[in-house]
Amino acid sequence: MTEWTNEAAIQRWGSMPRAVLEQMAHDGDFAKRHLINPVLLRMLGDLTGQRVLDAGCGNGYLSRMLADRGALVVGVEPGQSLFDFAVEQETVAPQGIRYVQADLCALPELGAPFDAVIASMVLPAVPDWTGAMRACVHALKPGGLFVFTVNHPCFEQLWTTWREHGQYRTSRYLDEYEIPGPSGVDFHRTVSTYLNQLISLGCHVTEVAEPGLDPESAADGPEDIEAYAHLPNFLIVAARRAA
Ligand SMILES: C[S@@+](CC[C@H](N)C(=O)[O-])C[C@H]1O[C@@H](n2cnc3c(N)ncnc32)[C@H](O)[C@@H]1O
């Protein structure tokens, strides 16, 4: 078990430098553009008039993509520099997105229940991730759609180990451990840990995706990115709250 508190983890995420936030402001980074965004948008379907919660919205790139497609978006983000950046983008080019600065485990009243809640790359960043997942599910209408993405727990060091060894290598999977990153800390948990928690919240899993990079995009991507064409860097899960 981790000794990290949500507050300490948020503090780390919330000092992400502006240059990084700007770099990913439009549609995320290469991996999100090719592997996450298309799957999320397909799973969400027609967003016209849908109330959508972007839980842990970071710099707000996904909130803006969803609003572009007709969704009524609330973005929740506790980290200071990320929240400020998202609000600034909304001020400069208003899309009707409401940003709320909050920990998912201590959500203020957000209004009517949501048609869909997305937590993209957020649950691994939260020490009290079960509380965060519960809040996401409870924010939904009965029958509403919850989609979350995580770095695939089986292949978390994909790019770095592929670069080093020309293949994937790992030595531990079953423990919970910290994964320090340049902008914040993530926590490794197993696939079954995530799925069983979702099931215990009364959700019905409707789709599990492990997207791979198509070879053409791999050729245009960063060095050694062909690893992403052979092994899945992300796990994307869609589930419905019980009706
Ligand atoms: C890897 S970033 C992903 C951000 C965004 N969803 C995206 O895909 O670009 C992880 C995010 O989780 C947020 N986060 C960490 N702890 C949180 C908590 N307790 N409640 C809500 N968000 C949290 C961080 O501040 C950060 O914005």
Side-chain angles (χ1 to χ4, degrees), residues 5 13 31 101 106 108 145 166 216:
T5 60
W13 283 104
Q101 188 171 19
L145 183 66
E216 267 177 37

Side-chain angles (χ1 to χ4, degrees), residues 4-98:
W4 280 79
T5 60
N6 279 15
E7 291 71 25
I10 289 166
Q11 188 79 26
R12 280 283 324 271
W13 283 104
S15 46
M16 197 179 284
R18 184 173 177 93
V20 177
L21 297 170
E22 272 174 0
Q23 241 172 39
M24 299 189 295
H26 179 60
D27 55 2
D29 55 14
F30 178 87
K32 286 178 177 167
R33 193 173 313 131
H34 289 278
L35 295 167
I36 291 187
N37 302 344
V39 178
L40 279 182
L41 292 173
R42 176 183 58 69
M43 285 176 166
L44 288 164
D46 183 4
L47 286 164
T48 316
Q50 297 281 297
R51 247 176 84 69
V52 180
L53 174 63
D54 186 4
C57 65
N59 70 4
Y61 94 85
L62 187 60
S63 296
R64 291 186 288 279
M65 290 183 78
L66 300 172
D68 264 351
R69 287 158 178 80
L72 309 168
V73 182
V74 176
V76 166
E77 171 55 47
Q80 194 65 52
S81 66
L82 299 127
F83 175 77
D84 290 345
F85 185 85
V87 170
E88 182 189 304
Q89 300 307 298
E90 177 63 19
T91 308
V92 172
Q95 293 176 282
I97 302 168
R98 177 181 166 210

Side-chain angles (χ1 to χ4, degrees), residues 8 12 48 55 64 118 124-125 133 186 215 219 228 233 239:
R12 280 283 324 271
T48 316
R64 291 186 288 279
I118 300 153
M133 186 187 268
D186 275 344
Y228 287 30
N233 193 55

Side-chain angles (χ1 to χ4, degrees), residues 152-172:
H152 199 306
C154 301
F155 305 106
E156 260 152 2
Q157 307 303 324
L158 180 51
W159 194 58
T160 44
T161 69
W162 193 278
R163 293 199 83 176
E164 199 175 338
H165 306 291
Q167 58 177 228
Y168 187 67
R169 291 196 189 172
T170 188
S171 55
R172 54 184 179 157

